[in-house]
């Protein structure tokens, strides 16, 4: 019944017309056919008694005629004489809502309600309903939400443990710890930090050479050694491969589409070149509309605009595209305003359809038409958007999101909550407005945009966002745990012109990033979720790093970035014709196999805010019995054998290769005993089954 209350309270009606109580036959019909149904199914949540108990659902009172005509918080639910325009009937038919929620009423009963409304809603019941405050979006109140406020990092706070911070980030983090009576854990050892940096920045394990360089450094020189390693990793082409995969999770990337290889490689280049945020956003939202200096730039812009192509497969291209644009760039669920004003955030239906008009004016072509030839190839990229859509212009608000129920025409404009005055109109009689939307979405003068962008970087490096709900910066999402730190990072991001690498570097060189995952029992008990970052988060490697690590350790990983035209002709796989395994990084493999679902790999249907980090038996079974693992383990063992001649040296070499650290004396002793009985191949395979292989500590 609680759900019933909510559903009826959200019904969207139209203006009702008050009529006199109908004649006696109509009243008799009401008494016989309508009142018993209302009593049985509705009064518990929609009556004066429910109001007295403070349980009136949605402000809708159905135990008086005046209450029926008044409607609820979202407006009237009946239009006397017009059942087709009455929200109550649509709810009974399970169209806009589901009333009653347990199961639909019989069709004959629904027909009685339609007949009752046709008769003018005859009803002898008297009494005045409770006053209803109509729902609507209060933009002034909405703008008070923290996410829309100007950036205000303040000065890095003073802290009691003044010798601990290595930089500004650490001062903000330590101040929050001290507010809650916590102290930071010890630093992680140098081997853990090297492994963490390599996986976080490139998605790959450290090489033995990288480990050896840091191992030789004296403790006072470690910060400089870490800085050198971070700069090396940022300059590596593998940085773009790893960070492109993060971005693709948020846009429903589908490698099965022919143009997907071009878009994927464009992203890899964009991250490697540290493309500034403004052009990075603009080219993905409206690259096909941007002016270009030459054919190379035109091709690149068109490739970038393929981002929205992945939503062309969805049943509702407009809704799917606005869902991506809202969550990926604004951290808001715009699509929640398709059927009614957003329940929690200052986003109205008018806001939704004002933006929708830019997309309905940019029709996705059904057939191949014009395109741009990629220089140096014969590959033609199809234009994502039709040059001549059926209609360029504003679109209608759809009542309840129903295509058959048109409301008013909504001018194309930007969302009202971002503007004190009238929001800017976008588009014209000949242009969609998508280009203006793209420019606005890339404008870092909007504090929300900068906050969303840097929060994603923090999430990827630390394990959880400063705002723990990266795609929901609205009132229903979690507030930032460290608001001043968030604004500090956003400010530095804006000052850098929108440099992702600058933010990555700043975070990776902080002492906060280098904390150990281990803390004393009292600290853990006081902060179970690690909100205040007194220790590092333990994180399982995601799908791609697991696959890439196995190949890398066996010396079978090809780090070259495949050309898209070659991939379209022949998509690489991990399994070769001779049944051995090897090939490019997981990002470039189209058919990922069952391993992807086993290790919570990417989705082509959903916007993935954060990969699941499940711990399941099938993961261990794959590492134990999987064909690729069984094929690669002996190759890893051969590589270990080639680097050390003594038995104890081979145990140490295995640890250095797989875990990026030397083996302890007791581990060497256990390893020697195991190898003596089962052999080096089996020993290496056993190490692949450990948590230390799968987790960052």
């Amino acid at each position: 019944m609680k759900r019933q209350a909510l559903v009826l309270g959200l019904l969207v009606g139209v203006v009702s017309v008050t009529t006199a109580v109908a004649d006696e036959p109509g009243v008799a019909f009401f008494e016989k056919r309508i009142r018993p149904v209302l009593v049985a199914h509705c009064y518990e949540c929609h009556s004066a008694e429910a109001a007295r108990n403070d349980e009136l659902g949605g402000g809708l009172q159905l135990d008086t005629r005046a209450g029926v005509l008044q409607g609820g918080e979202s407006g009237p639910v009946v239009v006397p004489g017009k059942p087709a325009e009455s929200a109550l009937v649509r709810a009974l038919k399970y169209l806009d809502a589901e009333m009653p929620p347990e199961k639909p009423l019989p069709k004959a009963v629904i027909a009685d309600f339609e007949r009752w409304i046709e008769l003018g809603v005859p009803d002898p019941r008297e009494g005045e309903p409770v006053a209803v405050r109509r729902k609507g979006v209060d933009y002034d109140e909405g703008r008070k939400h923290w996410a829309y406020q100007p950036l205000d990092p303040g000065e890095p706070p003073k802290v009691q443990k003044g010798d601990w911070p290595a930089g500004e980030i650490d001062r903000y983090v330590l101040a929050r710890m001290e507010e809650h009576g916590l102290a930071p854990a010890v630093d992680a050892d140098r081997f853990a930090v090297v492994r963490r940096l390599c996986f976080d920045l490139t998605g790959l394990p450290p090489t033995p050479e990288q480990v050896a360089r840091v191992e030789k450094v004296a403790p006072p020189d470690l910060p400089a050694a870490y800085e050198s390693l971070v700069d090396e990793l940022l300059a590596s082409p593998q940085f773009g491969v790893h960070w492109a995969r993060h971005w693709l999770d948020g846009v429903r990337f589908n490698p099965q589409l022919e143009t997907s290889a071009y878009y994927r490689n464009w992203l890899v280049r964009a991250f490697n070149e540290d493309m500034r945020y403004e052009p990075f956003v603009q080219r993905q939202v409206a690259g096909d509309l941007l002016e270009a200096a030459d054919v190379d730039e035109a091709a690149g812009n068109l490739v970038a605009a393929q981002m929205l192509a992945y939503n062309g497969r969805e049943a509702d291209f407009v809704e799917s595209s606005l869902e991506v644009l809202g969550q990926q760039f604004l951290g808001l669920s715009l699509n929640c305003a398709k059927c009614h004003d957003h329940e929690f955030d200052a986003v109205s239906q008018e806001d939704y359809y004002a933006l929708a008009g830019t997309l309905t004016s940019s029709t996705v072509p059904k057939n191949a038409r014009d395109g741009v030839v990629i220089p140096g190839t014969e590959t033609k990229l199809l234009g994502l958007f039709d040059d001549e859509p059926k209609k360029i212009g504003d679109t209608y608000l759809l009542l309840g999101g129903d295509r058959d129920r048109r409301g008013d025409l909504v001018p194309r404009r930007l969302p009202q909550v971002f503007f004190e005055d009238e929001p800017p109109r976008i588009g014209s009689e000949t242009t969609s407005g998508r280009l203006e939307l793209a420019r606005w979405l890339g404008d870092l003068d909007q504090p929300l945009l900068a906050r969303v962008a840097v929060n994603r970087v923090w999430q990827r490096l630390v394990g959880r966002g400063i705002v723990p709900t990266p795609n929901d910066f609205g009132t229903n999402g979690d507030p930032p745990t460290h608001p001043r730190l968030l604004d500090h990072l956003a400010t530095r991001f804006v000052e850098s012109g929108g440099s992702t690498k600058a933010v990555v570097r700043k975070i990776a060189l902080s002492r906060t990033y280098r904390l150990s995952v281990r803390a004393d029992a009292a600290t853990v008990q006081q902060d179970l979720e690690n909100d205040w970052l007194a220790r590092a988060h333990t994180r399982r490697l995601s799908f791609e790093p697991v696959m890439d690590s196995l190949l890398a350790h066996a010396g079978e990983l090809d780090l070259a970035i495949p050309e898209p035209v070659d991939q379209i002709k022949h998509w690489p796989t991990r399994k070769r014709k001779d049944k051995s395994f090897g090939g490019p990084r997981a990002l470039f493999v189209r058919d990922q196999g069952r391993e992807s679902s086993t290790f919570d790999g990417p989705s082509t249907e959903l916007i993935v805010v954060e990969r699941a980090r499940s711990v399941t038996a099938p993961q261990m079974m794959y590492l134990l019995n999987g064909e690729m693992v069984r094929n690669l383990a002996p190759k890893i063992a051969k590589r270990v054998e080639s680097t050390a001649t003594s038995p104890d040296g081979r145990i140490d070499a295995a640890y250095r290769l797989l875990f990026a650290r030397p083996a302890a004396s007791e581990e060497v002793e256990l390893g020697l005993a195991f190898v003596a009985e089962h052999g080096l191949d089996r020993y290496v395979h056993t190490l692949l089954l450990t948590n230390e292989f799968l987790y960052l500590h």
Side-chain angles (χ1 to χ4, degrees):
M1 296 305 290
K2 296 296 182 187
R3 183 181 170 198
Q4 172 183 332
L6 176 60
V7 168
L8 274 176
L10 293 176
L11 290 171
V12 178
V14 292
V15 178
S16 65
V17 180
T18 303
T19 60
V21 177
D23 57 11
E24 288 302 320
V27 170
F29 181 86
F30 169 81
E31 295 289 2
K32 183 177 181 181
R33 303 287 185 86
I34 304 301
R35 189 201 287 260
V37 179
L38 293 174
V39 172
H41 294 281
C42 306
Y43 275 19
E44 181 177 347
C45 298
H46 300 286
S47 63
E49 183 178 355
R52 285 193 294 271
N53 295 332
D54 198 26
E55 296 179 351
L56 185 64
L60 179 61
Q61 192 170 327
L62 297 177
D63 58 347
T64 67
R65 185 172 190 274
V68 172
L69 294 174
Q70 173 180 267
E73 294 172 354
S74 297
V77 295
V78 297
V79 181
K82 299 180 179 180
E85 298 180 15
S86 297
L88 178 60
V89 172
R90 298 185 63 78
L92 294 176
K93 291 182 176 181
Y94 275 40
L95 297 176
D96 293 342
E98 298 179 356
M99 170 65 194
E102 294 80 10
K103 63 179 181 179
L105 294 173
K107 291 183 179 179
V109 174
I110 297 174
D112 287 340
F113 273 84
E114 291 178 305
R115 176 59 179 156
W116 175 55
I117 294 173
E118 284 178 354
L119 293 173
V121 195
D123 185 349
R125 297 172 302 166
E126 298 179 353
E128 292 298 322
V130 296
V132 174
R133 180 179 178 271
R134 295 289 187 220
K135 284 191 174 180
V137 174
D138 187 338
Y139 291 111
D140 290 335
E141 187 64 29
R143 288 187 200 98
K144 296 177 183 177
H145 184 55
W146 67 265
Y148 303 115
Q149 301 306 305
L151 298 178
D152 182 20
E155 292 296 322
K158 295 181 179 180
V159 293
Q160 299 171 22
K161 194 176 176 65
D163 60 342
W164 185 81
E168 296 169 321
I169 287 177
D170 301 321
R171 300 185 73 85
Y172 287 100
V173 173
L174 181 58
R176 293 293 274 169
M177 281 190 235
E178 291 178 346
E179 285 177 20
H180 294 83
L182 297 170
V186 299
D187 292 351
D189 67 59
R190 64 184 68 196
F191 303 106
V193 173
V194 169
R195 190 167 188 263
R196 194 183 295 176
L197 282 170
C198 289
F199 273 112
D200 282 344
L201 270 63
T202 67
L204 294 173
T207 64
E209 294 75 20
Q210 288 170 326
V211 175
R213 284 204 307 269
V214 176
E215 184 177 12
K216 298 173 183 177
V217 172
D221 297 327
L222 271 177
Y226 293 147
E227 184 174 1
S228 177
L229 178 59
V230 167
D231 289 338
E232 174 188 336
L233 297 172
L234 288 172
S236 167
Q238 305 310 314
F239 174 84
V241 175
H242 185 54
W243 284 76
R245 179 64 264 181
H246 287 322
W247 184 263
L248 291 170
D249 278 358
V251 298
R252 291 197 184 95
F253 176 71
N254 184 359
Q256 304 298 329
L257 298 181
E258 183 175 332
T259 58
S260 65
Y262 290 96
Y263 173 65
R264 177 207 63 209
N265 280 32
W266 179 87
L267 277 176
V268 172
R269 285 195 304 274
F271 279 108
N272 278 333
E273 295 170 2
D274 199 18
M275 182 181 290
R276 295 311 191 249
Y277 193 72
E278 181 179 352
F280 180 74
V281 173
Q282 290 180 3
R283 293 176 187 182
Q284 291 184 82
V285 178
D288 55 318
L289 302 177
L290 291 170
E291 293 184 2
D294 51 42
V295 68
D296 289 331
E297 186 176 329
N301 290 345
L302 188 56
V303 166
Q306 304 299 306
M307 180 190 76
L308 292 179
Y310 308 117
N311 299 284
R313 302 174 296 115
E314 303 295 317
D316 189 330
F317 165 72
V318 172
E319 180 181 4
S320 301
S321 297
L322 288 181
E323 184 179 18
V324 168
L325 295 178
Q327 293 190 33
Q328 190 77 343
F329 299 110
L330 297 171
L332 296 174
S333 51
L334 296 178
N335 54 308
C336 288
K338 177 185 177 182
C339 302
H340 51 73
D341 292 343
H342 201 294
E343 274 297 293
F344 306 105
D345 298 328
V347 181
S348 67
Q349 263 194 296
E350 286 78 7
D351 290 320
Y352 178 89
Y353 288 98
L355 295 175
T358 67
L359 297 172
T360 58
S361 297
S362 303
T363 309
V364 179
K366 293 183 179 179
N367 302 308
R369 299 193 325 109
D370 300 327
V372 174
V373 176
I374 300 297
T377 76
E378 297 179 356
T379 301
K380 177 182 278 190
L381 277 177
L382 305 180
L384 172 61
F385 294 102
D386 199 326
D387 295 329
E388 298 177 359
K390 293 180 180 179
K391 176 183 176 295
I392 293 179
D394 302 330
T395 192
Y396 287 95
L397 184 149
L398 302 180
L399 300 174
D402 188 339
R403 295 179 182 275
D404 297 325
R405 300 177 63 212
R406 284 186 173 183
D408 295 332
L409 199 64
V410 181
R412 284 162 290 165
R413 59 169 175 76
L414 298 176
Q416 176 68 68
V417 71
F418 292 93
F419 302 92
E420 295 280 351
D421 301 317
E422 189 73 18
R425 296 286 181 90
I426 55 179
S428 66
E429 293 182 356
T430 58
T431 61
S432 66
R434 185 162 47 87
L435 180 57
E436 296 98 308
L437 175 61
R439 286 172 174 156
W440 178 74
L441 287 172
D443 184 359
L444 290 177
D445 286 341
Q446 294 292 339
L448 175 62
L449 304 178
R451 288 184 175 115
V452 170
V454 299
N455 189 65
R456 293 195 192 283
V457 177
W458 184 272
Q459 173 197 1
R460 303 305 184 189
L461 293 174
V462 177
R464 191 174 72 166
I466 297 173
V467 177
T469 50
N471 280 22
D472 190 355
F473 274 53
T475 57
N476 207 38
D478 293 335
T481 54
H482 299 71
R484 297 290 190 187
L485 173 58
L486 180 65
D487 281 9
H488 169 76
L489 292 172
T491 299
R492 294 292 180 266
F493 185 58
V494 173
E495 291 172 350
S496 71
S499 167
T500 297
K501 284 190 176 182
V503 179
V504 171
R505 189 178 193 276
K506 187 176 181 65
I507 297 171
L509 292 177
S510 69
R511 195 166 183 184
T512 300
Y513 178 81
R514 301 199 299 264
L515 283 173
S516 170
V517 298
R518 295 180 176 85
D520 61 78
T523 296
V524 174
Q525 186 62 35
Q526 184 175 342
D527 186 15
L528 292 174
E529 298 298 323
N530 196 24
D531 290 332
W532 313 121
L533 301 176
R535 61 190 186 278
H537 291 284
T538 299
R539 293 173 282 149
R540 178 176 66 74
L541 296 178
S542 56
F543 163 68
E544 292 86 357
V546 172
M547 297 295 107
D548 292 344
S549 292
L550 290 168
L551 293 176
H553 292 318
E556 296 289 348
L557 182 64
D558 183 356
L559 293 178
I561 298 174
E563 288 298 325
V565 65
D566 296 330
Q567 284 205 254
I568 290 174
K569 294 177 181 177
H570 177 69
W571 278 90
T573 60
R574 294 189 189 91
K575 190 173 183 180
R576 302 184 180 114
K577 290 182 179 180
D578 63 0
K579 296 186 179 181
S580 66
F581 287 83
R585 295 193 61 177
L587 177 64
F588 305 110
V589 176
R590 180 166 60 175
D591 298 317
Q592 300 288 0
R594 288 181 296 178
E595 299 97 321
S596 179
S597 58
T598 300
F599 290 98
D600 308 306
S603 169
T604 61
E605 303 294 331
L606 303 174
I607 296 174
V608 180
V609 182
E610 183 177 2
R611 295 276 186 93
R613 304 283 182 177
S614 65
V615 180
T616 65
Q619 292 167 359
M620 288 297 102
M621 293 303 295
Y622 173 78
L623 292 175
L624 178 64
N625 296 319
E627 183 182 6
M628 187 172 92
V629 184
R630 287 188 286 108
N631 180 277
L632 294 176
K635 294 184 178 182
I636 299 174
K638 275 190 177 180
R639 188 178 174 195
V640 166
E641 201 168 18
S642 69
T643 61
T645 56
S646 65
D648 55 346
R650 289 169 184 165
I651 302 300
D652 185 67
Y655 269 74
R656 288 177 178 275
L657 180 64
L658 298 180
F659 306 146
R661 68 171 178 84
S665 57
E666 59 269 25
E667 290 167 334
V668 172
E669 185 179 344
L670 288 171
L672 290 172
F674 189 102
V675 171
E677 184 173 353
H678 302 288
L680 186 60
D681 289 4
R682 182 74 63 84
Y683 178 66
V684 167
H685 195 164
T686 301
L687 292 182
L688 295 176
L689 298 173
T690 62
N691 281 344
E692 192 166 359
F693 174 73
L694 271 183
Y695 286 82
L696 293 179
H697 294 290

